[in-house]
Amino acid sequence: MIAIQKENERSKNELITSIAHDLRTPLTSIIGYLDLVRLGKGTDEEMKKNYVNIAYHKAKRLQSLIEDLFAYTQYSFGKVTIRNCDLDMVKLLEQIAEEFYPIFKESNLEYSFHTKVAKAVVCGDGDLLARVFANLYGNAAKYGKAGEKVEVYLEEKEDTYEIRITNYGQLIPEDDIEHIFERFYRVDSSRSGETGGTGLGLAIARNIVVMHGGSITATSNIGGTTFTVTLNKAI
């Protein structure tokens, strides 16, 4: 019990440290740019607009981080009620693909969906599972630009459905692949500002999938970066 308490305390302190760091970075930037405007350092109106615009986008990133942090704690500590119903994953993936069509087009990515089944019914919460796949589609768009295409496969197994999302862009180093579902973990922290990632999306996705009795894994090699989600069939 003492060992568990120490581990819980260490985990809590680690979480607080990570939160403080991730909140401080955009907040410092916001204060800096607004201070320039307040002191009249940017006398040119165009420059002032640019400073305010940068501060606005930094504030939106801060909002995104706080929302993801709130969601992560809710899912991690069982504060979310799952509203299960029969859910067709074929339709769900088609709907998410339609939402991401403009993003894929803007990134010059060709999207394709492959399955041999007309329906793939699981018992799950549509809103929560939509969040999982929206995150995975979003990551494919962010990091797969150089690969020119995103491929999604839905395959029926004996008692489950296996969904694989593959992009052919930036690979995840072998040393990082086993850590990417950890909270606040980023493969390349220098890119987090560019891509807008909070380091919580995959941790949230894993928690949701586990809540549904499923699993989520990742591989990254010369054949592409693939996230595989396995969900139980509806009884």
Side-chain angles (χ1 to χ4, degrees), residues 29 31 36 42 44-45 55 60 79 96 120 135 149 176 187 189 204:
S29 182
I31 292 171
L36 288 173
D44 183 273
E45 280 301 317
K60 293 294 288 184
K79 299 291 180 68
I96 293 173
N135 177 270
K149 61 181 178 179
D176 292 311
V187 173
S189 58
I204 292 170

mmCIF file of all heavy atoms in Angstrom, residues 29 31 36 42 44-45 55 60 79 96 120 135 149 176 187 189 204:
data_model
loop_
_atom_site.group_PDB
_atom_site.id
_atom_site.type_symbol
_atom_site.label_atom_id
_atom_site.label_comp_id
_atom_site.label_asym_id
_atom_site.label_seq_id
_atom_site.Cartn_x
_atom_site.Cartn_y
_atom_site.Cartn_z
ATOM 1 N N SER A 29 3.867 33.644 -23.982
ATOM 2 C CA SER A 29 3.847 34.232 -25.319
ATOM 3 C C SER A 29 2.713 35.237 -25.464
ATOM 4 O O SER A 29 2.893 36.334 -26.007
ATOM 5 C CB SER A 29 3.707 33.124 -26.365
ATOM 6 O OG SER A 29 3.741 33.650 -27.666
ATOM 7 N N ILE A 31 1.171 36.973 -23.069
ATOM 8 C CA ILE A 31 1.475 38.171 -22.269
ATOM 9 C C ILE A 31 2.509 39.037 -22.984
ATOM 10 O O ILE A 31 2.396 40.272 -23.022
ATOM 11 C CB ILE A 31 1.987 37.764 -20.871
ATOM 12 C CG1 ILE A 31 0.848 37.118 -20.070
ATOM 13 C CG2 ILE A 31 2.537 38.984 -20.115
ATOM 14 C CD1 ILE A 31 1.291 36.493 -18.768
ATOM 15 N N LEU A 36 3.498 44.181 -25.783
ATOM 16 C CA LEU A 36 4.037 45.029 -26.859
ATOM 17 C C LEU A 36 2.972 45.991 -27.367
ATOM 18 O O LEU A 36 3.237 47.173 -27.616
ATOM 19 C CB LEU A 36 4.549 44.154 -28.010
ATOM 20 C CG LEU A 36 5.836 43.365 -27.751
ATOM 21 C CD1 LEU A 36 6.112 42.423 -28.912
ATOM 22 C CD2 LEU A 36 7.013 44.305 -27.548
ATOM 23 N N GLY A 42 4.577 48.367 -31.010
ATOM 24 C CA GLY A 42 4.305 48.168 -32.436
ATOM 25 C C GLY A 42 3.480 49.340 -32.944
ATOM 26 O O GLY A 42 2.258 49.292 -32.957
ATOM 27 N N ASP A 44 3.154 50.577 -35.868
ATOM 28 C CA ASP A 44 2.500 50.297 -37.141
ATOM 29 C C ASP A 44 1.214 49.501 -36.871
ATOM 30 O O ASP A 44 1.229 48.490 -36.166
ATOM 31 C CB ASP A 44 3.454 49.497 -38.043
ATOM 32 C CG ASP A 44 2.849 49.234 -39.399
ATOM 33 O OD1 ASP A 44 2.133 48.229 -39.523
ATOM 34 O OD2 ASP A 44 3.092 50.035 -40.317
ATOM 35 N N GLU A 45 0.075 49.954 -37.435
ATOM 36 C CA GLU A 45 -1.212 49.294 -37.203
ATOM 37 C C GLU A 45 -1.192 47.845 -37.676
ATOM 38 O O GLU A 45 -1.778 46.966 -37.043
ATOM 39 C CB GLU A 45 -2.341 50.060 -37.914
ATOM 40 C CG GLU A 45 -2.822 51.283 -37.159
ATOM 41 C CD GLU A 45 -3.353 50.939 -35.780
ATOM 42 O OE1 GLU A 45 -4.087 49.935 -35.651
ATOM 43 O OE2 GLU A 45 -3.021 51.665 -34.822
ATOM 44 N N ALA A 55 -1.380 36.446 -30.531
ATOM 45 C CA ALA A 55 -1.865 36.236 -29.162
ATOM 46 C C ALA A 55 -3.178 35.453 -29.160
ATOM 47 O O ALA A 55 -3.393 34.578 -28.307
ATOM 48 C CB ALA A 55 -2.051 37.581 -28.460
ATOM 49 N N LYS A 60 -6.082 30.332 -28.194
ATOM 50 C CA LYS A 60 -6.882 29.192 -28.661
ATOM 51 C C LYS A 60 -6.168 27.878 -28.358
ATOM 52 O O LYS A 60 -6.809 26.895 -28.001
ATOM 53 C CB LYS A 60 -7.151 29.313 -30.164
ATOM 54 C CG LYS A 60 -8.052 30.474 -30.562
ATOM 55 C CD LYS A 60 -9.472 30.291 -30.034
ATOM 56 C CE LYS A 60 -10.232 29.214 -30.747
ATOM 57 N NZ LYS A 60 -11.644 29.108 -30.277
ATOM 58 N N LYS A 79 -15.024 9.339 -14.675
ATOM 59 C CA LYS A 79 -16.086 10.324 -14.440
ATOM 60 C C LYS A 79 -17.021 10.469 -15.647
ATOM 61 O O LYS A 79 -17.888 11.318 -15.650
ATOM 62 C CB LYS A 79 -15.455 11.689 -14.126
ATOM 63 C CG LYS A 79 -14.581 11.703 -12.879
ATOM 64 C CD LYS A 79 -15.410 11.545 -11.616
ATOM 65 C CE LYS A 79 -14.548 11.563 -10.361
ATOM 66 N NZ LYS A 79 -13.958 12.861 -10.102
ATOM 67 N N ILE A 96 -16.817 10.562 -40.455
ATOM 68 C CA ILE A 96 -15.595 11.260 -40.046
ATOM 69 C C ILE A 96 -14.759 11.621 -41.268
ATOM 70 O O ILE A 96 -14.183 12.713 -41.339
ATOM 71 C CB ILE A 96 -14.788 10.399 -39.052
ATOM 72 C CG1 ILE A 96 -15.570 10.264 -37.751
ATOM 73 C CG2 ILE A 96 -13.412 11.023 -38.777
ATOM 74 C CD1 ILE A 96 -14.968 9.312 -36.753
ATOM 75 N N ALA A 120 -20.556 -3.020 -39.715
ATOM 76 C CA ALA A 120 -19.651 -3.478 -38.663
ATOM 77 C C ALA A 120 -20.192 -2.937 -37.344
ATOM 78 O O ALA A 120 -19.797 -1.872 -36.885
ATOM 79 C CB ALA A 120 -18.233 -2.988 -38.907
ATOM 80 N N ASN A 135 -9.355 11.994 -33.712
ATOM 81 C CA ASN A 135 -7.969 12.230 -33.303
ATOM 82 C C ASN A 135 -6.999 11.486 -34.222
ATOM 83 O O ASN A 135 -5.981 12.043 -34.661
ATOM 84 C CB ASN A 135 -7.765 11.776 -31.851
ATOM 85 C CG ASN A 135 -6.326 11.931 -31.393
ATOM 86 O OD1 ASN A 135 -5.525 11.012 -31.536
ATOM 87 N ND2 ASN A 135 -5.988 13.087 -30.861
ATOM 88 N N LYS A 149 -0.981 10.034 -49.074
ATOM 89 C CA LYS A 149 -2.239 9.291 -48.958
ATOM 90 C C LYS A 149 -2.455 8.779 -47.539
ATOM 91 O O LYS A 149 -1.509 8.577 -46.775
ATOM 92 C CB LYS A 149 -2.299 8.121 -49.942
ATOM 93 C CG LYS A 149 -1.213 7.081 -49.756
ATOM 94 C CD LYS A 149 -1.361 5.980 -50.812
ATOM 95 C CE LYS A 149 -0.238 4.957 -50.670
ATOM 96 N NZ LYS A 149 -0.367 3.866 -51.662
ATOM 97 N N ASP A 176 10.253 5.831 -29.506
ATOM 98 C CA ASP A 176 9.079 6.617 -29.094
ATOM 99 C C ASP A 176 7.774 5.849 -29.182
ATOM 100 O O ASP A 176 6.810 6.184 -28.489
ATOM 101 C CB ASP A 176 8.964 7.872 -29.970
ATOM 102 C CG ASP A 176 10.083 8.863 -29.716
ATOM 103 O OD1 ASP A 176 10.328 9.172 -28.540
ATOM 104 O OD2 ASP A 176 10.709 9.319 -30.682
ATOM 105 N N VAL A 187 6.418 13.038 -29.797
ATOM 106 C CA VAL A 187 7.558 12.462 -30.502
ATOM 107 C C VAL A 187 8.621 13.519 -30.724
ATOM 108 O O VAL A 187 9.805 13.293 -30.558
ATOM 109 C CB VAL A 187 7.112 11.851 -31.852
ATOM 110 C CG1 VAL A 187 8.320 11.402 -32.666
ATOM 111 C CG2 VAL A 187 6.176 10.679 -31.603
ATOM 112 N N SER A 189 8.972 17.449 -29.526
ATOM 113 C CA SER A 189 8.360 18.582 -28.817
ATOM 114 C C SER A 189 8.511 19.886 -29.581
ATOM 115 O O SER A 189 7.717 20.806 -29.432
ATOM 116 C CB SER A 189 8.993 18.733 -27.424
ATOM 117 O OG SER A 189 10.390 18.921 -27.524
ATOM 118 N N ILE A 204 -6.097 10.205 -24.383
ATOM 119 C CA ILE A 204 -7.560 10.217 -24.299
ATOM 120 C C ILE A 204 -8.144 9.102 -25.159
ATOM 121 O O ILE A 204 -9.046 8.370 -24.729
ATOM 122 C CB ILE A 204 -8.114 11.584 -24.738
ATOM 123 C CG1 ILE A 204 -7.740 12.670 -23.716
ATOM 124 C CG2 ILE A 204 -9.632 11.536 -24.913
ATOM 125 C CD1 ILE A 204 -8.040 14.079 -24.179
#
